[in-house]
Short mmCIF file of all heavy atoms in Angstrom, two decimals:
data_model
loop_
_atom_site.label_atom_id
_atom_site.label_comp_id
_atom_site.label_asym_id
_atom_site.label_seq_id
_atom_site.Cartn_x
_atom_site.Cartn_y
_atom_site.Cartn_z
N ALA A 3 0.83 -1.20 0.00
CA ALA A 3 0.00 0.00 0.00
C ALA A 3 0.87 1.26 0.00
O ALA A 3 0.61 2.21 -0.75
CB ALA A 3 -0.94 -0.01 1.20
N LEU A 4 1.91 1.25 0.81
CA LEU A 4 2.83 2.40 0.85
C LEU A 4 3.56 2.57 -0.47
O LEU A 4 3.72 3.69 -0.97
CB LEU A 4 3.83 2.24 1.99
CG LEU A 4 3.26 2.38 3.40
CD1 LEU A 4 4.34 2.05 4.44
CD2 LEU A 4 2.71 3.78 3.62
N ASP A 5 4.01 1.46 -1.06
CA ASP A 5 4.71 1.53 -2.35
C ASP A 5 3.79 2.03 -3.45
O ASP A 5 4.21 2.83 -4.30
CB ASP A 5 5.29 0.16 -2.73
CG ASP A 5 6.47 -0.25 -1.87
OD1 ASP A 5 6.99 0.60 -1.11
OD2 ASP A 5 6.87 -1.43 -1.94
N ALA A 6 2.55 1.58 -3.46
CA ALA A 6 1.59 2.03 -4.47
C ALA A 6 1.30 3.52 -4.31
O ALA A 6 1.20 4.25 -5.30
CB ALA A 6 0.30 1.21 -4.39
N LEU A 7 1.19 3.96 -3.07
CA LEU A 7 0.95 5.38 -2.82
C LEU A 7 2.15 6.21 -3.29
O LEU A 7 1.98 7.26 -3.92
CB LEU A 7 0.68 5.62 -1.33
CG LEU A 7 0.33 7.04 -0.93
CD1 LEU A 7 -0.94 7.51 -1.65
CD2 LEU A 7 0.15 7.13 0.57
N ALA A 8 3.34 5.73 -3.01
CA ALA A 8 4.55 6.44 -3.46
C ALA A 8 4.60 6.51 -4.99
O ALA A 8 4.93 7.56 -5.56
CB ALA A 8 5.80 5.76 -2.91
N ALA A 9 4.25 5.41 -5.65
CA ALA A 9 4.24 5.40 -7.12
C ALA A 9 3.19 6.37 -7.66
O ALA A 9 3.44 7.09 -8.64
CB ALA A 9 3.98 3.99 -7.63
N ALA A 10 2.04 6.42 -7.02
CA ALA A 10 0.99 7.35 -7.45
C ALA A 10 1.45 8.80 -7.28
O ALA A 10 1.18 9.65 -8.13
CB ALA A 10 -0.29 7.10 -6.65
N GLU A 11 2.16 9.07 -6.19
CA GLU A 11 2.65 10.43 -5.96
C GLU A 11 3.69 10.81 -7.00
O GLU A 11 3.70 11.95 -7.49
CB GLU A 11 3.22 10.55 -4.56
CG GLU A 11 2.15 10.53 -3.48
CD GLU A 11 2.70 10.47 -2.07
OE1 GLU A 11 3.92 10.25 -1.90
OE2 GLU A 11 1.90 10.63 -1.13
N VAL A 12 4.57 9.88 -7.38
CA VAL A 12 5.56 10.16 -8.43
C VAL A 12 4.85 10.43 -9.75
O VAL A 12 5.22 11.36 -10.49
CB VAL A 12 6.56 8.98 -8.55
CG1 VAL A 12 7.40 9.11 -9.81
CG2 VAL A 12 7.44 8.90 -7.32
N ALA A 13 3.83 9.64 -10.06
CA ALA A 13 3.07 9.85 -11.30
C ALA A 13 2.37 11.21 -11.29
O ALA A 13 2.33 11.90 -12.31
CB ALA A 13 2.05 8.73 -11.49
N GLU A 14 1.86 11.60 -10.13
CA GLU A 14 1.19 12.89 -10.03
C GLU A 14 2.17 14.04 -10.25
O GLU A 14 1.87 14.99 -10.98
CB GLU A 14 0.51 13.03 -8.67
CG GLU A 14 -0.26 14.33 -8.52
CD GLU A 14 -0.97 14.43 -7.18
OE1 GLU A 14 -0.44 13.91 -6.17
OE2 GLU A 14 -2.04 15.04 -7.15
N VAL A 15 3.35 13.94 -9.67
CA VAL A 15 4.37 14.97 -9.85
C VAL A 15 4.78 15.05 -11.32
O VAL A 15 4.89 16.14 -11.90
CB VAL A 15 5.58 14.70 -8.94
CG1 VAL A 15 6.76 15.58 -9.32
CG2 VAL A 15 5.21 14.92 -7.48
N ALA A 16 4.98 13.89 -11.95
CA ALA A 16 5.37 13.86 -13.36
C ALA A 16 4.25 14.43 -14.24
O ALA A 16 4.52 15.16 -15.20
CB ALA A 16 5.71 12.44 -13.78
N GLU A 17 3.01 14.09 -13.91
CA GLU A 17 1.88 14.61 -14.68
C GLU A 17 1.80 16.13 -14.58
O GLU A 17 1.59 16.82 -15.58
CB GLU A 17 0.58 13.97 -14.19
CG GLU A 17 -0.64 14.44 -14.95
CD GLU A 17 -1.93 13.84 -14.42
OE1 GLU A 17 -1.99 13.51 -13.22
OE2 GLU A 17 -2.87 13.73 -15.21
N MET A 18 1.98 16.65 -13.38
CA MET A 18 1.93 18.10 -13.20
C MET A 18 3.09 18.79 -13.92
O MET A 18 2.92 19.85 -14.51
CB MET A 18 1.94 18.46 -11.71
CG MET A 18 0.70 17.99 -10.96
SD MET A 18 -0.85 18.55 -11.67
CE MET A 18 -0.74 20.29 -11.35
N ALA A 19 4.27 18.18 -13.87
CA ALA A 19 5.43 18.75 -14.56
C ALA A 19 5.21 18.75 -16.07
O ALA A 19 5.52 19.73 -16.76
CB ALA A 19 6.70 17.98 -14.21
N MET A 20 4.66 17.65 -16.58
CA MET A 20 4.40 17.57 -18.02
C MET A 20 3.35 18.61 -18.42
O MET A 20 3.50 19.30 -19.43
CB MET A 20 3.94 16.18 -18.42
CG MET A 20 3.75 16.03 -19.92
SD MET A 20 3.24 14.38 -20.40
CE MET A 20 4.72 13.48 -20.07
N TYR A 21 2.32 18.74 -17.61
CA TYR A 21 1.29 19.73 -17.90
C TYR A 21 1.90 21.13 -17.91
O TYR A 21 1.63 21.92 -18.82
CB TYR A 21 0.17 19.65 -16.86
CG TYR A 21 -0.86 20.75 -17.02
CD1 TYR A 21 -1.81 20.69 -18.03
CD2 TYR A 21 -0.85 21.85 -16.17
CE1 TYR A 21 -2.74 21.70 -18.18
CE2 TYR A 21 -1.78 22.87 -16.32
CZ TYR A 21 -2.71 22.79 -17.32
OH TYR A 21 -3.63 23.80 -17.47
N ARG A 22 2.74 21.41 -16.92
CA ARG A 22 3.37 22.73 -16.83
C ARG A 22 4.27 22.98 -18.04
O ARG A 22 4.23 24.06 -18.64
CB ARG A 22 4.18 22.82 -15.54
CG ARG A 22 4.83 24.18 -15.31
CD ARG A 22 5.81 24.16 -14.16
NE ARG A 22 6.94 23.30 -14.49
CZ ARG A 22 7.32 22.22 -13.78
NH1 ARG A 22 6.67 21.87 -12.71
NH2 ARG A 22 8.35 21.50 -14.15
N ASP A 23 5.05 21.97 -18.43
CA ASP A 23 6.00 22.14 -19.53
C ASP A 23 5.32 22.24 -20.89
O ASP A 23 5.82 22.91 -21.80
CB ASP A 23 7.01 20.99 -19.54
CG ASP A 23 7.92 21.02 -18.32
OD1 ASP A 23 7.98 22.09 -17.65
OD2 ASP A 23 8.56 20.00 -18.02
N TYR A 24 4.21 21.55 -21.08
CA TYR A 24 3.56 21.52 -22.39
C TYR A 24 2.29 22.36 -22.46
O TYR A 24 1.61 22.36 -23.48
CB TYR A 24 3.24 20.06 -22.78
CG TYR A 24 4.47 19.29 -23.16
CD1 TYR A 24 5.10 18.47 -22.24
CD2 TYR A 24 5.02 19.41 -24.43
CE1 TYR A 24 6.24 17.76 -22.58
CE2 TYR A 24 6.15 18.72 -24.78
CZ TYR A 24 6.77 17.90 -23.84
OH TYR A 24 7.91 17.21 -24.19
N ARG A 25 1.97 23.08 -21.40
CA ARG A 25 0.74 23.87 -21.38
C ARG A 25 0.74 24.92 -22.48
O ARG A 25 -0.27 25.13 -23.14
CB ARG A 25 0.55 24.53 -20.02
CG ARG A 25 -0.79 25.27 -19.94
CD ARG A 25 -1.02 25.92 -18.61
NE ARG A 25 0.01 26.93 -18.41
CZ ARG A 25 0.58 27.19 -17.24
NH1 ARG A 25 0.20 26.55 -16.17
NH2 ARG A 25 1.51 28.11 -17.14
N MET A 26 1.88 25.57 -22.72
CA MET A 26 1.94 26.61 -23.75
C MET A 26 1.63 26.02 -25.13
O MET A 26 0.89 26.61 -25.91
CB MET A 26 3.30 27.30 -23.74
CG MET A 26 3.51 28.17 -22.53
SD MET A 26 5.14 28.97 -22.34
CE MET A 26 5.83 29.01 -23.94
N VAL A 27 2.19 24.85 -25.41
CA VAL A 27 1.94 24.20 -26.70
C VAL A 27 0.47 23.79 -26.79
O VAL A 27 -0.18 23.99 -27.82
CB VAL A 27 2.86 22.97 -26.88
CG1 VAL A 27 2.49 22.18 -28.13
CG2 VAL A 27 4.31 23.41 -26.94
N SER A 28 -0.06 23.23 -25.73
CA SER A 28 -1.46 22.80 -25.72
C SER A 28 -2.39 24.00 -25.89
O SER A 28 -3.38 23.93 -26.65
CB SER A 28 -1.79 22.08 -24.42
OG SER A 28 -1.04 20.91 -24.31
N ASP A 29 -2.10 25.08 -25.19
CA ASP A 29 -2.93 26.27 -25.31
C ASP A 29 -2.87 26.85 -26.71
O ASP A 29 -3.89 27.24 -27.29
CB ASP A 29 -2.50 27.34 -24.28
CG ASP A 29 -2.84 26.95 -22.85
OD1 ASP A 29 -3.61 25.98 -22.66
OD2 ASP A 29 -2.31 27.61 -21.93
N ALA A 30 -1.67 26.94 -27.29
CA ALA A 30 -1.51 27.48 -28.65
C ALA A 30 -2.23 26.59 -29.66
O ALA A 30 -2.85 27.08 -30.61
CB ALA A 30 -0.03 27.59 -29.01
N THR A 31 -2.17 25.29 -29.47
CA THR A 31 -2.85 24.35 -30.36
C THR A 31 -4.36 24.57 -30.29
O THR A 31 -5.03 24.66 -31.32
CB THR A 31 -2.50 22.90 -29.98
OG1 THR A 31 -1.09 22.73 -30.07
CG2 THR A 31 -3.19 21.91 -30.87
N ALA A 32 -4.88 24.67 -29.08
CA ALA A 32 -6.32 24.88 -28.91
C ALA A 32 -6.74 26.24 -29.46
O ALA A 32 -7.79 26.35 -30.12
CB ALA A 32 -6.69 24.76 -27.44
N ASP A 33 -5.92 27.28 -29.24
CA ASP A 33 -6.24 28.62 -29.74
C ASP A 33 -6.28 28.65 -31.27
O ASP A 33 -7.05 29.41 -31.86
CB ASP A 33 -5.23 29.65 -29.23
CG ASP A 33 -5.36 29.90 -27.74
OD1 ASP A 33 -6.40 29.50 -27.16
OD2 ASP A 33 -4.41 30.47 -27.16
N ALA A 34 -5.45 27.82 -31.90
CA ALA A 34 -5.41 27.76 -33.36
C ALA A 34 -6.52 26.87 -33.91
O ALA A 34 -6.65 26.74 -35.13
CB ALA A 34 -4.05 27.25 -33.83
N GLY A 35 -7.28 26.23 -33.02
CA GLY A 35 -8.37 25.37 -33.47
C GLY A 35 -7.90 24.01 -33.93
O GLY A 35 -8.62 23.31 -34.64
N LEU A 36 -6.70 23.62 -33.51
CA LEU A 36 -6.15 22.33 -33.92
C LEU A 36 -6.36 21.29 -32.83
O LEU A 36 -6.49 21.62 -31.65
CB LEU A 36 -4.65 22.47 -34.21
CG LEU A 36 -4.26 23.49 -35.28
CD1 LEU A 36 -2.75 23.65 -35.32
CD2 LEU A 36 -4.79 23.05 -36.63
N VAL A 37 -6.38 20.03 -33.24
CA VAL A 37 -6.47 18.94 -32.28
C VAL A 37 -5.09 18.56 -31.79
O VAL A 37 -4.89 18.26 -30.61
CB VAL A 37 -7.17 17.71 -32.92
CG1 VAL A 37 -7.20 16.54 -31.95
CG2 VAL A 37 -8.58 18.07 -33.35
#
């Protein structure tokens, strides 16, 4: 249970970092009307 929680926390941190790093590209894509 502790190991699974630690893995989930690492995934959450990576997800937030990826969102932060690619948010500008995602926003520009959406603003341009692209998928």
Side-chain angles (χ1 to χ4, degrees):
L4 290 174
D5 289 349
L7 184 60
E11 289 172 350
V12 168
E14 182 178 34
V15 168
E17 181 182 28
M18 294 306 292
M20 184 179 290
Y21 174 76
R22 183 190 65 239
D23 293 344
Y24 287 97
R25 185 180 63 217
M26 290 176 22
V27 172
S28 297
D29 290 347
T31 301
D33 291 345
L36 302 172
V37 177

